[in-house]
Amino acid sequence: MNNLPIPEPVRVVQLPDGTYTYADHLPAPQVPPQQIVQHIHHAPPDRTVQRVALGSGVGAGAVAAGVYFGPLLVGALTAIAANLALLAFLAVALAWGVVTVVKSVGGTQEAAKSLTKTGRR
């Protein structure tokens, strides 16, 4: 009927100085904290440009500018290259379309005949 847990008996201990105290009032033994070693496997950032700049006596402002504007320059050049690639693709597609239409209409021989008929050459 009674589902309550049975309490543990109270322990009384004698301290080295001769006094008595309850065992649950004693300080817990000091356990050193567990050291966690975490290995993160990433390549360190490449700082060659910064090291060369600092080694040649360039100031910290120039190094900071290189760190900040270097990736921006790479991003801008990549965007420009992507735009040029898209324009080249569109030029090829349009040229192919024009050639296909000219061939289907009659080709270059018909154009040459019409030019000779009008007297232009």
Side-chain angles (χ1 to χ4, degrees), residues 24-42:
D24 60 349
H25 290 293
L26 292 176
Q30 295 295 326
V31 179
Q34 182 181 4
Q35 184 178 8
I36 299 173
V37 179
Q38 186 176 16
H39 298 282
I40 300 174
H41 299 283
H42 287 285

Side-chain angles (χ1 to χ4, degrees), residues 20-106:
Y20 292 92
T21 185
Y22 293 107
D24 60 349
H25 290 293
L26 292 176
Q30 295 295 326
V31 179
Q34 182 181 4
Q35 184 178 8
I36 299 173
V37 179
Q38 186 176 16
H39 298 282
I40 300 174
H41 299 283
H42 287 285
D46 186 17
R47 302 197 193 286
T48 306
V49 174
Q50 290 91 324
R51 287 189 183 121
V52 169
L54 287 175
S56 63
V58 176
V63 174
V67 170
Y68 182 75
F69 290 113
L72 287 177
L73 178 63
V74 170
L77 292 177
T78 304
I80 292 170
N83 287 337
L84 289 176
L86 180 64
L87 289 175
F89 176 74
L90 287 175
V92 168
L94 288 174
W96 175 79
V98 168
V99 168
T100 304
V101 168
V102 168
K103 282 185 179 179
S104 67
V105 169

